Amino acid sequence: MENFIKKAIQQRQEIPPQMDYMWRVDLPDLSAYMEERSSSDKVKDGPILAIFDDDFIEHSQLNHRITSFDIPTPSFEMRKVVAPGAGWKNAGMMDLAPISIKMMEFEDGSTLNYLNTWQSLMINDDGTRNMPVEYKKDIRLTRLSQSGFDIHISMCKGCFPIEVGNINYSYESNTVTQYGVTFSVDSIEHEIIPFDQVRRRMEKVQTDISNSPTNPFSSVFDVKRIITEAIGGV
């Protein structure tokens, strides 16, 4: 038991634990759809109202409005097989629960506009429904190391928003408005980057920083460039 504890402590010192708050999300880009619909001011027919204008915020800015992201793991139906004097269990159908996220709203209203725009891809103005290829998009979730390097990429395939939670208004509240959004997802592909690869990049950054010019002005820009290139290169 003592050796087990020592090994666990040693491993924790060599490989830092993964922190819950170290992650980022990349939402799909809907700007192409916005350009196609730029001739219309609003989608008036049907329950979904999406505003189309030149001030539609880029999806890259909305990525930073996501405050939580609950990613599901596959679950399998358990089947029981019963025979005279015997019985066993095997795996049945696999299911994947929806994705749940929370997004902040700012005074520009772009968060709700983005979500309404995505949902409007499902239904046309005349009530006809589009093919899934029109509205199913991919969402990328990236886990980061404590030093900011990519270590685990989860690509959520075939996503579309099936529900935007109720919007609460209260005079007694003093918090930022948030939307709870539920996404259907077809599959999730995980790519875990080997720790040795991450560690080599960390060591390279440390070496490049130590070899950067001593000029305080140039070194600041060099350090920023080195770190940006290293993180973006993983």
Side-chain angles (χ1 to χ4, degrees):
M1 184 64 181
E2 184 177 354
N3 292 333
F4 174 80
I5 295 176
K6 288 182 178 179
K7 290 181 179 180
I9 295 175
Q10 182 180 3
Q11 185 178 29
R12 182 165 182 174
Q13 292 174 344
E14 294 178 354
I15 305 177
Q18 210 173 75
M19 308 304 293
D20 283 343
Y21 61 88
M22 297 296 295
W23 53 274
R24 73 171 185 273
V25 176
D26 295 309
L27 293 170
D29 185 4
L30 302 182
S31 60
Y33 174 75
M34 297 301 302
E35 292 175 359
E36 294 176 3
R37 302 297 298 271
S38 60
S39 58
S40 301
D41 293 331
K42 293 183 179 180
V43 177
K44 297 181 179 179
D45 297 333
I48 299 174
L49 175 64
I51 300 174
F52 302 96
D53 53 35
D54 295 334
D55 295 329
F56 184 75
I57 194 170
E58 293 185 3
H59 70 288
S60 58
Q61 299 182 40
L62 292 173
N63 294 336
H64 305 293
R65 300 188 181 187
I66 300 176
T67 60
S68 69
F69 194 106
D70 295 333
I71 191 168
T73 55
S75 61
F76 290 86
E77 175 187 352
M78 183 187 68
R79 293 180 177 177
K80 294 183 179 180
V81 181
V82 180
W88 61 90
K89 302 173 184 177
N90 57 21
M93 296 292 295
M94 187 196 77
D95 190 21
L96 197 59
I99 295 172
S100 298
I101 72 173
K102 286 186 178 180
M103 297 184 67
M104 294 186 297
E105 181 62 284
F106 287 9
E107 292 186 354
D108 57 11
S110 294
T111 303
L112 184 60
N113 191 22
Y114 177 87
L115 296 171
N116 284 344
T117 299
W118 196 341
Q119 287 188 324
S120 70
L121 297 176
M122 308 175 196
I123 305 176
N124 297 313
D125 299 353
D126 58 1
T128 57
R129 299 181 181 274
N130 290 320
M131 297 294 290
V133 67
E134 296 291 335
Y135 56 81
K136 283 189 174 184
K137 309 291 182 182
D138 297 342
I139 300 176
R140 171 174 166 152
L141 171 68
T142 304
R143 280 277 193 177
L144 305 174
S145 67
Q146 296 184 32
S147 54
F149 292 89
D150 296 358
I151 56 177
H152 182 180
I153 299 172
S154 300
M155 186 63 72
C156 306
K157 299 281 191 175
C159 300
F160 61 94
I162 57 178
E163 181 182 4
V164 179
N166 295 337
I167 305 173
N168 297 321
Y169 298 91
S170 173
Y171 285 117
E172 299 177 356
S173 176
N174 190 28
T175 58
V176 177
T177 299
Q178 294 191 80
Y179 305 132
V181 190
T182 304
F183 289 88
S184 174
V185 57
D186 289 339
S187 63
I188 301 178
E189 300 176 358
H190 296 278
E191 178 187 357
I192 300 178
I193 299 173
F195 181 72
D196 289 341
Q197 179 179 341
V198 177
R199 181 162 50 190
R200 286 195 300 269
R201 285 203 166 272
M202 292 172 58
E203 293 173 351
K204 183 179 183 303
V205 169
Q206 293 173 355
T207 301
D208 291 344
I209 292 176
S210 62
N211 294 333
S212 63
T214 56
N215 185 302
F217 295 100
S218 62
S219 62
V220 169
F221 292 107
D222 286 341
V223 170
K224 182 178 179 180
R225 175 186 57 79
I226 292 168
I227 295 177
T228 303
E229 292 178 354
I231 293 176
V234 174

